[in-house]
Structures are given as C-alpha cells and as structure tokens.
Amino acid sequence: SSGLTQDPTVSVALGQTVRITCQGDSLRSGYASWYQQKPGQAPILVIYAVNNRPAGIPDQFSGSRSGDTASLTITGAQAEDEADYYCASWDSSGNHLLFGGGTKLTVL
Amino acid sequence: QVQLQQWGAGLLKPSETLSLTCGVFGGSFTISSSSYWCWIRRAPGKGLEWIGEINYSGGTNYNPSLRSRVTISIDTSTNQFSLKLTSVTAADTAVYYCARVRRGYNLSYSYYYMDVWGKGTTVTVSS
C-alpha cells in the first residue's frame, strides 16, 4: 500500500462543522482510526472502526467511510478542538500500521 | 483503568542504541489474545510514525523502514514491554510513545487502534 493522504491544513470557523479526510488503498480493507494531538501532549483516540467513539469523547466527533476514503467530522468546532489530527489503518499487504501525514486544524 | 508509564535514556550519541521500556499498570497485561502493544514516534516537524508491535506471546510486526534496526520485546512477569533501536542517527530524534493496541476483524475488514497511550519520552540524538 502506498500510504494515507491527508490535507496538511484545514480551518473552520468557531461553531461550524469541518470534515477531515484520509485517502488510501489500505482503507478498502481496513477501518480507519483517528487521533487528536495537541502540542506537548500524547495523541488521544477520538474515533475507531469507522464511527465508534471511546468513552469520554464527545459526540461532536464522528467518522465515516466510502471506498478508499475515511472522514472525521467535527460538528460545532470549538477553540479546544484546534489540534493535529491523524488517521491510521492497518496495511494487510505489508503487515504494518499506516498513519496519514496529519491535518493541522485551525479554529478561526 | 490501564495506564502506561514509559522510561529510558533521553540523550544518545550517533551509533548508540535507543532503549525504552513501557510499564502497564492498573489492568491485565494479557487480557486476551487480541492484546497487542506498540511503539510510535513523532519527530520534530513531522507526523506520527508507527514503529512496531508485540503481542502477549511475543509475536512482532515492524515498520518496514525500521525493521533492520528495531527489536520489541515483552516481559509478562513484570507487565512491561521494551523497544530497542540500534545505530541511531539524528533522524531518530523524536518523542517516543508506547500504546495499547486493539485489533481484529469485523465483517472482513480489519480494525486497529491505540486506545491507551504513554505520556511520551523525548529522545535526542546528538554528538
């Protein structure tokens, strides 16, 4: 598999909805997971297996998939949602995990 | 609730071996055969990079780009797993994280995610 592609930067107005996408061949056979990372902090899981949220993650975060593309949607973006977001999926052909390059989300 | 605490040397010289350990606290280290544990890093100005994983019985998978230099091991008696990366260079300077993996298959699709993370260890390689 050639990897996962994400837009490097995305911006959203405060309170609006934003979609972050992730595209790659591995997503045709593997579910994406999504991670939020703020400066100086460890990543946290926000979505797994397409559209499942871990305990404590607000329902403003949701996920979806179509073909070779996975998406993370943040509804009603808040200032605290400003962070780097990474998608990941298992590459069955190479037996390793792929990360997208990350999307830096700016909340305006 | 499972927590991961990691430790290891933070300053290395080129050609030395990076060695980090991650301790698992507050839960079963070998919950099931689906319990995997992995290492991930983030170099300055770059994104997350998966280094490799190990399961409770010692089975491993590694990032192809690092495979020749990486060894991940596990000690179930002490609830720890470890990372060794040989012949480090400045390019290995990064924050290294350990994490718990959940993986499996659902309706012929694989799923893989890291739900518990260590706080990270900054490793700097400099002469």
Side-chain angles (χ1 to χ4, degrees):
Chain A
S1 180
S2 57
L4 299 176
T5 301
Q6 297 182 240
D7 291 327
T9 61
V10 171
S11 60
V12 60
L14 185 68
Q16 296 303 301
T17 296
V18 62
R19 175 174 291 184
I20 298 171
T21 61
C22 173
Q23 186 269 335
D25 290 340
S26 63
L27 295 173
R28 294 188 182 280
S29 60
Y31 291 139
S33 54
W34 290 92
Y35 305 85
Q36 176 194 71
Q37 187 175 31
K38 297 180 180 180
Q41 298 182 20
I44 63 170
L45 176 70
V46 294
I47 292 288
Y48 65 95
V50 183
N51 192 24
N52 290 276
R53 282 177 290 106
I57 300 300
D59 60 7
Q60 68 170 146
F61 291 90
S62 62
S64 61
R65 67 183 298 270
S66 177
D68 68 349
T69 300
S71 300
L72 172 70
T73 299
I74 305 173
T75 304
Q78 302 300 307
E80 58 264 33
D81 299 327
E82 194 164 277
D84 294 328
Y85 290 85
Y86 294 89
C87 63
S89 77
W90 185 253
D91 177 6
S92 299
S93 63
N95 250 3
H96 63 276
L97 185 72
L98 295 170
F99 275 109
T103 297
K104 183 176 182 60
L105 177 67
T106 300
V107 179
L108 303 172
Chain B
Q1 185 165 353
V2 172
Q3 293 185 342
L4 304 183
Q5 293 182 12
Q6 52 184 111
W7 61 91
L11 180 60
L12 298 172
K13 290 181 167 40
S15 80
E16 291 184 336
T17 296
L18 179 157
S19 182
L20 297 175
T21 298
C22 185
V24 181
F25 301 90
S28 175
F29 193 53
T30 56
I31 291 175
S32 70
S33 60
S34 63
S35 290
Y36 280 70
W37 310 87
C38 74
W39 291 94
I40 291 160
R41 70 181 183 180
R42 184 174 182 184
K46 297 198 173 183
L48 297 174
E49 180 180 31
W50 184 81
I51 298 171
E53 65 173 2
I54 191 165
N55 66 13
Y56 72 104
S57 60
T60 55
N61 286 302
Y62 298 128
N63 187 319
S65 68
L66 297 170
R67 183 174 291 135
S68 64
R69 298 192 292 129
V70 172
T71 301
I72 297 176
S73 59
I74 194 168
D75 186 344
T76 55
S77 67
T78 58
N79 284 9
Q80 296 174 3
F81 61 105
S82 299
L83 167 70
K84 289 192 187 302
L85 181 66
T86 62
S87 305
V88 297
T89 69
D92 296 309
T93 294
V95 180
Y96 287 75
Y97 300 96
C98 59
R100 183 176 73 174
V101 174
R102 298 302 198 186
R103 57 177 297 177
Y105 285 88
N106 181 24
L107 300 175
S108 81
Y109 289 94
S110 65
Y111 65 86
Y112 190 111
Y113 57 94
M114 291 74 68
D115 63 344
V116 181
W117 294 67
K119 291 186 185 301
T121 299
T122 299
V123 176
T124 302
V125 180
S126 174
S127 56

